[in-house]
């Protein structure tokens, strides 16, 4: 049981400390007392191979576990085949970048289903995943992580992500965003420790214990409306959830070792460290 904690991208603390380049992110993360870092390419991958390789080398030297968030505009479920073909290209580009970064997981959004049925969206997504399998050579040790999503009109319930991952368990893994699941269910998805435990149990039963034990996760408090996710918040918010303490208990009781990336609004490193401290305090309470 050795969960790892880190920020998604560079927090305000990073810049306030005088850091300027993501080349310095692994050293910052290590000095902050954290263990992981997610490289954010949501708006597209524009970084040179040389720079990505240098970041990867810095991460290895600092002992930081890396992941990469692929571009947000990937849509596995688009009715336009040209957009799904473009998605395959973006995934290939992201896998290449992940290799250079020494990243284990490439986080991918499934896409929206506002104008089609969820069933049609799932069929299109599975077709796109098949195209990815045909056209992308995903190296052993890198997984394409399909993320649970926060808006109701997006594919990305836990059940949908699990079903899509079954396309090929050697390539696809679930990425559970606890804030997203809470937001799409209007704040009522994780009222108890057992509700968190159920996520790990379901993944273990459906995809295998290894997937559950080494789950890649996102965590942040998220404001929501009737349509689901509205915006990411910080841990200082007292209105919206979810809260981390019950997840800390679930990790201990399930004896799992997730990577937990914090996506708070500007306070990712601070809130990731808060989670790590809560987890360590909870371990003491459980005497483990």
């Amino acid at each position: 049981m050795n969960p790892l904690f880190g920020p998604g991208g560079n927090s305000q603390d990073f810049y306030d400390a005088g850091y300027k380049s993501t080349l310095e992110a692994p050293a910052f993360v290590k000095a902050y007392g954290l263990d992981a870092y997610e490289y954010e390419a949501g708006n597209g991958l524009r970084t040179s191979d040389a720079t990505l390789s240098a970041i990867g080398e810095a991460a290895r030297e600092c002992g930081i576990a890396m992941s990469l968030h692929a571009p947000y505009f990937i849509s596995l479920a688009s009715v336009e085949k040209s957009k799904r073909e473009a998605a395959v290209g973006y995934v290939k580009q992201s896998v290449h970048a992940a290799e250079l970064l020494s990243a284990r997981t490439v986080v991918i959004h499934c896409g929206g289903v506002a104008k089609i049925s969820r069933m049609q969206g799932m069929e299109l997504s599975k077709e796109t995943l098949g195209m990815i399998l045909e056209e992308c050579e995903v190296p052993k040790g890198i997984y394409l992580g399909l993320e649970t999503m926060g808006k109701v009109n997006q594919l990305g319930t836990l059940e949908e992500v699990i079903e899509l991952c079954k396309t090929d368990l050697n390539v696809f893994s679930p990425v559970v965003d606890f804030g997203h699941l809470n937001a799409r269910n209007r704040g009522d998805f994780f009222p108890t420790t057992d509700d968190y435990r159920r996520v790990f149990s379901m993944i273990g039963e459906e995809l295998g214990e290894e997937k559950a034990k080494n789950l890649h996760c996102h965590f942040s408090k998220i404001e929501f409306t009737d349509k689901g996710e509205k915006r990411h918040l910080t841990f200082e918010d007292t209105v919206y959830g979810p809260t981390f303490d019950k997840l800390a208990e679930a990790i201990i009781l399930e004896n799992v070792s997730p990577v937990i990336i914090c996506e708070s609004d500007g306070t990712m490193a601070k809130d990731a460290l808060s989670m790590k401290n809560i987890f360590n305090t909870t371990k003491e309470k459980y005497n483990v």
Side-chain angles (χ1 to χ4, degrees):
M1 184 175 59
N2 183 35
L4 305 179
F5 299 88
N10 299 326
S11 62
Q12 188 57 48
D13 282 354
F14 176 86
Y15 298 106
D16 290 345
Y19 295 97
K20 297 180 180 180
S21 168
T22 300
L23 276 169
E24 302 168 293
F28 168 80
V29 169
K30 180 180 180 180
Y32 215 97
L34 297 169
D35 329 281
Y37 180 82
E38 189 155 290
Y39 184 90
E40 297 295 321
N43 295 318
L45 268 163
R46 303 181 184 88
T47 309
S48 70
D49 283 5
T51 299
L52 292 170
S53 294
I55 296 169
E57 178 62 27
R60 289 190 297 273
E61 289 176 356
C62 293
I64 302 301
M66 294 290 289
S67 54
L68 176 143
H69 201 305
Y72 299 134
F73 41 78
I74 287 176
S75 177
L76 304 179
S78 176
V79 294
E80 298 179 45
K81 189 172 182 179
S82 61
K83 289 186 177 180
R84 290 189 290 117
E85 289 172 340
V88 175
Y90 296 134
V91 170
K92 289 175 70 174
Q93 185 184 31
S94 298
V95 169
H96 174 66
E99 283 191 271
L100 299 175
L101 289 166
S102 295
R104 181 176 185 269
T105 301
V106 176
V107 180
I108 299 170
H109 290 179
C110 297
V113 288
K115 298 180 180 179
I116 57 176
S117 70
R118 303 196 79 84
M119 182 180 295
Q120 185 180 1
M122 289 292 285
E123 290 172 353
L124 290 169
S125 293
K126 288 177 182 178
E127 183 180 320
T128 309
L129 295 181
M131 293 163 59
I132 289 171
L133 290 173
E134 288 179 3
E135 299 184 32
C136 297
E137 187 174 338
V138 182
K140 186 175 181 180
I142 294 178
Y143 292 93
L144 303 184
L146 306 180
E147 184 178 2
T148 60
M149 298 306 297
K151 293 185 173 68
V152 176
N153 65 0
Q154 294 172 316
L155 282 184
T157 65
L158 181 58
E159 293 79 5
E160 287 167 343
V161 164
I162 286 173
E163 183 178 343
L164 291 174
C165 285
K166 290 179 181 178
T167 304
D168 188 329
L169 293 180
N170 291 317
V171 175
F172 302 112
S173 283
V175 171
V176 173
D177 188 312
F178 292 99
H180 280 167
L181 289 177
N182 191 64
R184 78 177 297 135
N185 288 277
R186 284 67 142 198
D188 194 34
F189 204 73
F190 297 111
T192 70
T193 299
D194 283 345
D195 294 297
Y196 282 107
R197 295 185 71 180
R198 204 166 291 124
V199 171
F200 294 100
S201 297
M202 186 183 302
I203 290 171
E205 290 167 5
E206 295 288 333
L207 303 179
E209 291 303 321
E210 192 67 21
K211 297 288 189 187
K213 186 175 182 64
N214 299 297
L215 190 63
H216 191 82
C217 307
H218 288 169
F219 197 99
S220 55
K221 292 188 176 186
I222 295 179
E223 182 181 351
F224 55 84
T225 68
D226 287 343
K227 295 179 181 179
E229 175 187 6
K230 181 178 180 181
R231 66 188 176 106
H232 286 232
L233 304 169
T234 73
F235 276 21
E236 291 185 359
D237 178 79
T238 59
V239 176
Y240 295 92
T243 55
F244 181 73
D245 55 339
K246 294 181 177 65
L247 175 55
E249 289 186 344
I251 290 168
I252 291 166
L253 294 171
E254 292 294 314
N255 192 27
V256 292
S257 300
V259 174
I260 303 180
I261 297 296
C262 185
E263 293 189 317
S264 292
D265 182 18
T267 58
M268 302 85 80
K270 176 183 176 183
D271 292 348
L273 185 59
S274 176
M275 286 192 287
K276 186 173 182 178
N277 290 337
I278 290 169
F279 175 76
N280 287 333
T281 300
T282 306
K283 269 178 64 176
E284 293 175 4
K285 185 177 79 172
Y286 277 87
N287 216 13
V288 293

